[in-house]
Amino acid sequence: MKRVASGWYLAGVAVLCGMSAFSDADDKPTVSVSEKGTVIVHVEPQPWQVRRQNVAGLVKRINDSQGKDEAAIAQFDAVLTGFEKDIVSITPMEAMDLMQFFYVPQDQGLHLDQTLTTVAALATLGWYDALRYADASGRAEIVNNERFFLKPFSADDGRGLKEMTAYLKRSPKEAAAAVQAGIQAARKLRGHAHYAEDWPSAYGLSVMQCGLAGNKNCPKPTQLPEAQWDKAFEEAAARVEHYYRINDKQ
């Protein structure tokens, strides 16, 4: 089903060019410095990171052409269709990108309850994964560098964040119910993901240190014992419930 029309483009959305600290080119050094002076550590990307970068490239092509690149539009439309058919076919990080790139801007604040339910479900699943497969530094990177919880509302024009903040203030009970609906959706989806749930292992100091040592293939952080997964899910749900409301630490 085509939903990205010709002439449409993602105005004001921050495209993730250079978002990844990796390279798929075998002849590139493991450490380099960008034009802005940022140190970039190149390690072998996980498949989801390659997909993510490819989608960001499609968005950039659409933006650069001001919605006239029909091939990019068709490919991006196919990405959206696949996500809508199976919300756990891609990692929560990739899904949060799609919320930022397309769904939140296109909704224009008309269905904030539905948007918040979807975001809460993705956030719960994503943080559950992070608690199981990332170390503390990886989780900090996911929250602070990627702005994972805030990502869907992080378009450059700021409209999405303003609309959601106003909704949380205006309708706290409805918003809380929407968040709870998302958490319950995540509870049902838990254990049925079709993506690699260890995607958060791509983040953290261990990956950085491994890359700095000259290695492209790095060992993953120690996985949380399965006996603790139930507790991890409840911790993720509690964090999401606390985050998507008006509070001093948001």
Side-chain angles (χ1 to χ4, degrees), residues 41-242:
V41 179
H42 303 276
V43 296
E44 191 67 24
Q46 296 182 13
W48 75 270
Q49 292 175 295
V50 177
R51 283 198 312 267
R52 188 186 188 203
Q53 192 171 50
N54 289 340
V55 170
L58 291 176
V59 173
K60 186 176 187 302
R61 284 171 55 188
I62 295 172
N63 277 344
D64 289 348
S65 70
Q66 296 189 351
K68 296 178 182 178
D69 188 329
E70 293 284 355
I73 288 173
Q75 291 175 60
F76 186 62
D77 191 81
V79 170
L80 298 176
T81 297
F83 172 65
E84 290 172 10
K85 287 182 178 179
D86 183 2
I87 194 173
V88 289
S89 62
I90 56 177
T91 66
M93 185 67 78
E94 295 170 87
M96 289 295 215
D97 286 342
L98 295 184
M99 296 301 294
Q100 177 193 5
F101 289 155
F102 182 79
Y103 293 105
V104 171
Q106 290 299 295
D107 182 65
Q108 298 183 346
L110 297 177
H111 305 95
L112 290 170
D113 55 340
Q114 296 175 26
T115 295
L116 188 54
T117 292
T118 302
V119 168
L122 296 171
T124 303
L125 290 172
W127 197 242
Y128 173 53
D129 293 339
L131 290 172
R132 291 183 296 158
Y133 296 106
D135 59 19
S137 65
R139 291 191 290 273
E141 188 176 348
I142 289 169
V143 172
N144 298 324
N145 294 0
E146 291 280 12
R147 303 181 76 196
F148 175 69
F149 293 104
L150 191 63
K151 182 175 289 294
F153 312 107
S154 296
D156 283 349
D157 61 10
R159 187 181 67 185
L161 182 57
K162 290 179 181 177
E163 290 171 345
M164 183 54 67
T165 301
Y167 173 64
L168 294 176
K169 290 180 178 179
R170 179 179 68 248
S171 307
K173 292 183 178 179
E174 291 82 353
V179 170
Q180 284 302 318
I183 291 172
Q184 291 308 311
R187 198 178 298 279
K188 293 178 181 179
L189 289 168
R190 176 188 171 192
H192 299 285
H194 300 140
Y195 60 82
E197 295 178 70
D198 65 350
W199 64 269
S201 64
Y203 296 93
L205 287 175
S206 62
V207 176
M208 179 74 70
Q209 291 167 348
C210 178
L212 287 171
N215 302 314
K216 288 190 176 182
N217 294 296
C218 301
K220 296 180 179 180
T222 302
Q223 176 182 316
L224 186 73
E226 192 168 351
Q228 299 179 35
W229 286 9
D230 288 345
K231 181 180 178 182
F233 185 87
E234 297 308 324
E235 182 179 337
R239 177 156 188 164
V240 169
E241 182 179 22
H242 178 76

